[in-house]
Amino acid sequence: MKLPSTLRFLVIALVSLVAIAACSEESSPVAGVVPGYDIIIRGGTIYDGSGRPARKADLAIDGDRIAAIGDLSASRAKQEVDAAGQAVAPGFINMLSWAVDSLIEDGTGQSDLRQGVTLEVFGEGMSWGPLNDMMKAYALKEQGDIKYNIEWTSLGEYLDYLEKRGVSPNIASFVGATTVRVHELGFENRAPNTAELAAMQTLVREAMEEGALGVGSSLIYAPAFYADTAELIALNQAAAAYGGMYISHIRSEGNRLLESVQELIDIARGAGVRAEIYHLKAAGKDNWKKLDDVFALVEQARTEGLQITADMYTYTAGATGLDASQPPWVQEGGNEAWIQRLRDPAIRAQVLKEMTTPTDAWENLFLAAGAEGMLLVGFKNDELKPLTGKTLAEVAAMRGTSPEETILDLVIEDGSRVGTIYFLMSEENVARKIARPWVSFGSDAEAPSTEGVFLKSNTHPRAYGNVARLLGRYVRDEKIITLEEAVRRLTSLPAENLRIRERGKLEPGYFADVVIFDPARIQDHASYEKPHQYATGVSQVWVNGEQVLRDGEHTGATPGRVVRGPGWNGWKK
C-alpha cells in the first residue's frame, strides 16, 4: 500500500529522530537506517597489536566484542565515532600494577585509564589472597591512607570482590610466592618442611584453578628473601601443570644482578615454566655496565627454547620502602618485630654498620642511591606527612642526624616501611631496554586519581605517566622503536606471555578493549615534585565494549572484569 506523501514524510522524520537519539555526541546519525552494529569507529589508523604496519580502517563493536574491521562505509551503528587522524589500538596491559588498594577506594583507575590501560595485572610477590586470619589481622593493621574491610579469603574471591564492587579496567593477578609462604610459615626466616612446602603447593594449585596467571615473587624483601631457589622451583612446578608462568622481582638488581637473572632462568628450567623479570634494571651506577650481560643471558636462554621475557617502567628512579635500605635479618617477624629490634641499642648499632658497609649479601638501596637520591613520599603518621617530597639528605640535615640514623628513626616513628623513591638507573639504559623486542611495560604503581585520599601522599610519576612517556618521549620524540612495535609491546606481547584469551589484539571476536589516542599529542605530565597530574592525548577508551573514557573524561562506567589465567577451572564448564 502506498502511503500519502505527508504520512511518508512523518514516518521518515520519526525514524530519523530515533536514529539521532540513539547516537552519542561523537555519533554521525544516519536518518532512516537501522543500525547494524552497536559502535563503529570510523577512519582511524588501526594499530592492531601484531606489530604489522598500521592501516586506515573502520572498526565495529557489538556487545563486548570486536565485530568487524575494514571498510564499513555501507554499515551503520547506534554510535559512530570519528577517529580520523587518530590511532586506534587494543587496550594497553599494565604488567605490574599495585592498584590492589586504590581500586577499592576508587574503581575508575584514572591515572592508568587516561593513558589507555585497560588491564591491571597484580601479584609482585604479595597477592591479596590466599589469606588466613593472622594475615587478615596483619593487613588491616598495616593499612595506610586507604582503609577497607577485608571481605575475602582466597585470591579468586578478592578478584571477584573488585569486579562486583565495580572497576573500570579489567583485573588479573599472579599468586604471591611470599603470600603462600606467610600463610604457612608466618614471617620466619627458615625453609619450609616437607608438609609445609606441600601445603604451599596446594595453595598455588587452588589459586591457579581460581584464575591466577602463575607465581610472582619479590626476592629482595623480607620474608621473600628467605626463600631459596628450590622452594621457588617447587611452587612453580605446581603452577606449571596449569600453564602458569613465573614472574619475579629478582634477588638483586645491583651487585648480584647477573647471578639473580641466572637464578630466574634456573627456576624456569627447573619448573618447566615461562618466566619474566619484573621491572628490568641495572641499579646503582657501578652496575649500569652489566646490562649487556643481562641481555646476553636472556637471549641465550631464549635461543635454547626457554620463554624468558621482562617488563620495565620508563623512568630512572624506582620506588619502594626504607626496608630496602636495611638487612633482611632485622625484619624477620613482620613490622612490629622489626621496629622492636631497631629500638635495641646493640641491634641498632649492628644495623647501622651493615647499612653503611658495601655487600653482595643483600640489596642495599641506601648505598646504591645515596641520601641525596632518596625522595620520601609516603608516610602513615600525619605528623610526618610534612616531610613528603623531601630527600633523605634534607630530612637528616633538618634533624641533625646521619642519613642512616634518620632512616631507622623514620621507620620507628611512622610504624611503616615509609614509601621512598630511589634514583638508581641511567637514561641510556632505559632507552636500551625499550629497544629489546621481549620487553613489555608495567608501572609498578597504584592507579590513583587527582583528588581525595590520594593527595595525602605523593607517588612515583610512573603511576600517571608510564605509558604516555613511552609513546610520547621514546616513540614519537626519540624514535627508539616504532609506534607499531610499541603498541605490540603494550598489548599482544604481554597477553601472549600471560596466556590470556581473546585480548591484546584488534581482531573480530576479541573483547572490545579499545583505545583512541593522538600520537602527536600523547604526553606525560607527572613529575617527581608534582606527581598527581594526568597524562593527555588519549581521548576514548572502551572496556568490554563499554565506553569508560569519552573526550578525555571518565564516563562513570565500571565494566571491568576478572581476566583469568590458563588454569581457571571455569574454562572446563
Side-chain angles (χ1 to χ4, degrees):
M1 180 180 71
K2 187 175 181 180
L3 295 173
S5 58
T6 303
L7 185 55
R8 285 204 311 274
F9 173 82
L10 289 173
V11 170
I12 292 171
L14 179 61
V15 172
S16 298
L17 288 171
V18 170
I20 290 169
C23 295
S24 73
E25 292 180 2
E26 304 97 333
S27 304
S28 302
V30 180
V33 177
V34 178
Y37 298 107
D38 289 334
I39 303 162
I40 294 179
I41 299 169
R42 293 201 180 276
T45 303
I46 302 289
Y47 294 81
D48 64 11
S50 69
R52 293 189 296 264
R55 68 191 192 280
K56 287 188 178 180
D58 306 323
L59 182 146
I61 296 171
D62 252 350
D64 62 358
R65 302 279 180 156
I66 296 170
I69 302 174
D71 181 0
L72 303 178
S73 57
S75 300
R76 297 293 179 265
K78 299 173 186 175
Q79 177 187 3
E80 301 204 0
V81 179
D82 181 5
Q86 305 287 296
V88 182
F92 302 142
I93 297 174
N94 184 351
M95 273 297 297
L96 202 184
S97 171
W98 277 106
V100 284
D101 288 326
S102 64
L103 285 175
I104 295 175
E105 176 68 23
D106 178 1
T108 62
Q110 290 194 63
S111 68
D112 262 353
L113 193 70
R114 289 170 183 253
Q115 299 178 78
V117 171
T118 60
L119 173 59
E120 305 279 359
V121 182
F122 313 138
E124 186 197 0
M126 294 295 294
S127 54
W128 262 225
L131 304 176
N132 57 29
D133 289 343
M134 177 275 290
M135 297 169 77
K136 288 183 182 183
Y138 183 85
L140 285 170
K141 191 170 185 179
E142 294 303 310
Q143 286 177 1
D145 293 331
I146 297 174
K147 312 287 187 186
Y148 52 90
N149 295 324
I150 298 176
E151 301 177 18
W152 63 88
T153 297
S154 73
L155 178 58
E157 288 169 352
Y158 163 73
L159 294 170
D160 288 339
Y161 165 83
L162 269 189
E163 181 180 309
K164 290 174 184 175
R165 189 178 180 88
V167 290
S168 294
N170 296 311
I171 50 175
S173 185
F174 288 85
V175 60
T178 309
T179 301
V180 299
R181 174 177 245 275
V182 172
H183 194 284
E184 297 303 313
L185 278 71
F187 297 93
E188 296 180 35
N189 181 3
R190 64 175 178 86
N193 61 36
T194 301
E196 289 166 336
L197 185 59
M200 291 162 66
Q201 289 179 306
T202 296
L203 291 172
V204 169
R205 293 186 189 100
E206 290 171 352
M208 293 301 298
E209 291 182 0
E210 291 172 339
L213 302 166
V215 174
S217 71
S218 51
L219 300 178
I220 76 165
Y221 305 108
F225 179 86
Y226 310 145
D228 62 17
T229 305
E231 177 182 322
L232 295 166
I233 288 175
L235 296 183
N236 278 284
Q237 285 173 333
Y242 298 88
M245 68 181 288
Y246 176 54
I247 190 164
S248 180
H249 181 151
I250 56 178
R251 207 172 292 274
S252 171
E253 298 170 328
N255 294 350
R256 292 185 60 80
L257 171 60
L258 300 179
E259 295 87 344
S260 299
V261 171
Q262 186 60 58
E263 182 186 31
L264 176 130
I265 293 170
D266 292 343
I267 292 168
R269 183 181 287 114
V273 292
R274 310 178 307 286
E276 176 151 320
I277 302 167
Y278 269 136
H279 44 55
L280 175 65
K281 66 173 75 74
K285 190 171 183 179
D286 291 345
N287 299 306
W288 291 351
K289 60 183 179 294
K290 295 179 180 179
L291 195 60
D292 277 336
D293 291 332
V294 171
F295 292 159
L297 275 175
V298 170
E299 287 167 1
Q300 178 59 39
R302 289 169 62 85
T303 299
E304 294 170 9
L306 292 174
Q307 297 179 57
I308 309 297
T309 52
D311 55 66
M312 65 174 289
Y313 44 79
T314 54
Y315 296 83
T316 57
T320 182
L322 291 178
D323 52 332
S325 293
Q326 299 174 50
W329 63 262
V330 77
Q331 301 170 50
E332 182 180 2
N335 278 4
E336 284 190 8
W338 170 29
I339 290 169
Q340 279 302 112
R341 290 192 187 97
L342 295 183
R343 297 181 189 275
D344 183 301
I347 294 176
R348 182 183 177 97
Q350 180 62 32
V351 170
L352 289 169
K353 180 180 178 181
E354 293 189 28
M355 288 172 66
T356 53
T357 303
T359 182
D360 291 346
W362 56 282
E363 193 88 322
N364 187 341
L365 298 192
F366 170 60
L367 290 183
E372 291 283 357
M374 294 170 61
L375 194 65
L376 304 172
V377 295
F379 294 96
K380 288 175 63 176
N381 184 342
D382 288 340
E383 293 182 6
L384 295 177
K385 284 186 182 293
L387 302 178
T388 301
K390 296 185 184 299
T391 67
L392 174 64
E394 289 172 329
V395 174
M398 289 168 55
R399 291 178 164 221
T401 53
S402 71
E404 57 271 23
E405 290 174 313
T406 304
I407 288 173
L408 303 192
D409 292 342
L410 290 175
V411 168
I412 293 169
E413 293 170 34
D414 201 54
S416 83
R417 58 201 291 262
V418 182
T420 306
I421 291 173
Y422 293 85
F423 290 85
L424 297 165
M425 287 79 76
S426 78
E427 186 58 54
E428 178 186 1
N429 278 352
V430 170
R432 294 172 68 228
K433 290 182 293 182
I434 290 171
R436 293 287 153 169
W438 37 268
V439 174
S440 58
F441 299 91
S443 70
D444 194 8
E446 67 280 18
S449 60
T450 57
E451 60 187 2
V453 70
F454 300 113
L455 301 184
K456 291 185 175 183
S457 298
N458 276 4
T459 186
H460 193 298
R462 64 194 182 189
Y464 285 87
N466 192 52
V467 172
R469 187 174 177 84
L470 169 70
L471 297 177
R473 175 171 180 169
Y474 294 107
V475 175
R476 179 188 62 229
D477 300 340
E478 298 187 12
K479 297 179 171 54
I480 303 299
I481 55 177
T482 66
L483 184 52
E484 287 89 345
E485 175 65 2
V487 170
R488 181 185 76 85
R489 307 266 216 87
L490 289 163
T491 58
S492 68
L493 175 64
E496 289 164 5
N497 290 340
L498 296 170
R499 299 292 189 267
I500 59 177
R501 300 187 181 192
E502 298 170 339
R503 297 187 193 270
K505 290 183 181 178
L506 297 182
E507 287 189 12
Y510 273 48
F511 287 98
D513 301 332
V514 182
V515 176
I516 301 178
F517 67 96
D518 185 345
R521 289 184 55 250
I522 192 163
Q523 187 66 50
D524 63 298
H525 300 287
S527 66
Y528 294 104
E529 296 75 23
K530 296 182 178 180
H532 291 290
Q533 300 185 76
Y534 292 129
T536 53
V538 173
S539 57
Q540 326 290 340
V541 178
W542 290 263
V543 174
N544 300 312
E546 190 166 345
Q547 193 160 12
V548 292
L549 201 71
R550 177 181 293 118
D551 297 332
E553 297 297 329
H554 198 272
T555 65
T558 54
R561 301 177 187 172
V562 179
V563 173
R564 313 282 182 177
W568 181 43
N569 55 19
W571 298 126
K572 304 170 186 176
K573 296 176 182 177

